[in-house]
Amino acid sequence: MLDRSLSEALPRPALIRADAAPAGWAVSSGLVGYPEAERAMEARADAIAQGEAGELVWLIEHPPLYTAGVSARPADLLDPQRFPVFRSGRGGQFTYHGPGQRVAYVMLDLTARGRDVRAFVQALQAWIIGALARLGVKGEVREGRVGVWVGGAGGREDKVAAIGVKLRRWVSFHGVSLNVDPDLGHFDGIVPCGVTAHGVTSLAALGAAASMPEADAALEDAFVEVFGPVAEAPPPL
């Protein structure tokens, strides 16, 4: 259920285009392979940079796999035989993708949105926090830790959403991943994002019984608030 009262109480930065042009909003059904998705995402980002395509937010699910960002440490891959491992040009370290996790690849033209990398990352965090609020979950950020976190009993903190992006010619790609109801045991094969002192959680584990369509609706609603309007678009694959 959407908790708009909690959402509306949260201050958020906005990164809305001056021309108010909508970003495309595409949702793929089924599981999309990582190499194919990465190729499609990079091609779309290049087309945006060349003025040949509009911005796009692409929501997908991957089959179980690990990705290694540019800062990944080999020792953080604890079980390299468990799932396929893909090297990625995004920022960050190791992360898991799989069924039950909503991955949102965000291809935005930051030239039209202020060319402020810090503001962009803050806006991504605000987007996820706003979506979580609509689902009745209080998300927070922590200094020195990337992603969105939730607090628990005894001072425990768990990551519910990861952020890993890359910019090329001021166009973003890669993006965010929100744990809706994945198998959290699959994170055991890595040190998620290089953080050992805290854990990983999901909406389901937190008792927020949101379906994937409900999570998508919250993400779309919160995106509009932070980044501006969207328009339905076909997936790039």
Side-chain angles (χ1 to χ4, degrees):
M1 180 178 295
L2 301 185
D3 188 342
R4 295 185 181 278
S5 61
L6 177 56
S7 170
E8 290 168 0
L10 295 170
R12 271 184 283 284
L15 215 68
I16 297 172
R17 293 175 61 112
D19 62 5
W25 188 269
V27 182
S28 286
S29 60
L31 302 180
V32 180
Y34 186 81
E36 300 91 335
E38 188 171 46
R39 285 194 295 269
M41 172 177 53
E42 292 203 11
R44 180 60 175 252
D46 286 343
I48 293 169
Q50 294 166 14
E52 298 172 354
E55 296 178 314
L56 183 68
V57 180
W58 183 22
L59 275 57
I60 67 175
E61 287 178 88
H62 286 305
L65 58 92
Y66 297 129
T67 67
V70 295
S71 301
R73 299 182 294 247
D76 287 346
L77 181 58
L78 306 178
D79 187 356
Q81 304 306 316
R82 182 179 289 198
F83 299 125
V85 180
F86 297 95
R87 296 290 164 180
S88 170
R90 62 163 173 81
Q93 302 184 42
F94 279 104
T95 195
Y96 165 76
H97 294 313
Q101 182 191 72
R102 177 53 86 202
V103 176
Y105 288 131
V106 182
M107 292 154 272
L108 298 182
D109 180 3
L110 296 195
T111 295
R113 295 176 182 270
R115 287 197 175 191
D116 187 328
V117 176
R118 181 171 181 173
F120 176 55
V121 173
Q122 290 175 336
L124 291 174
Q125 293 171 329
W127 170 31
I128 299 303
I129 289 171
L132 290 172
R134 287 165 165 81
L135 297 167
V137 173
K138 183 181 180 182
E140 300 174 325
V141 295
R142 291 290 182 266
E143 186 69 30
R145 281 191 254 143
V146 180
V148 177
W149 301 78
V150 294
R156 178 182 175 87
E157 293 184 339
D158 294 319
K159 180 181 284 190
V160 69
I163 297 174
V165 294
K166 185 176 177 64
L167 298 179
R168 183 183 296 156
R169 289 184 287 176
W170 288 102
V171 176
S172 67
F173 52 109
H174 294 280
V176 306
S177 57
L178 173 64
N179 295 330
V180 179
D181 190 13
D183 184 339
L184 294 178
H186 289 172
F187 285 91
D188 293 343
I190 56 173
V191 177
C193 301
V195 177
T196 58
H198 305 283
V200 178
T201 192
S202 66
L203 294 177
L206 292 168
S211 66
M212 193 64 76
E214 288 171 331
D216 289 349
L219 285 167
E220 183 175 357
D221 202 25
F223 183 92
V224 170
E225 185 175 54
V226 176
F227 290 99
V230 298
E232 184 176 348
L237 278 179

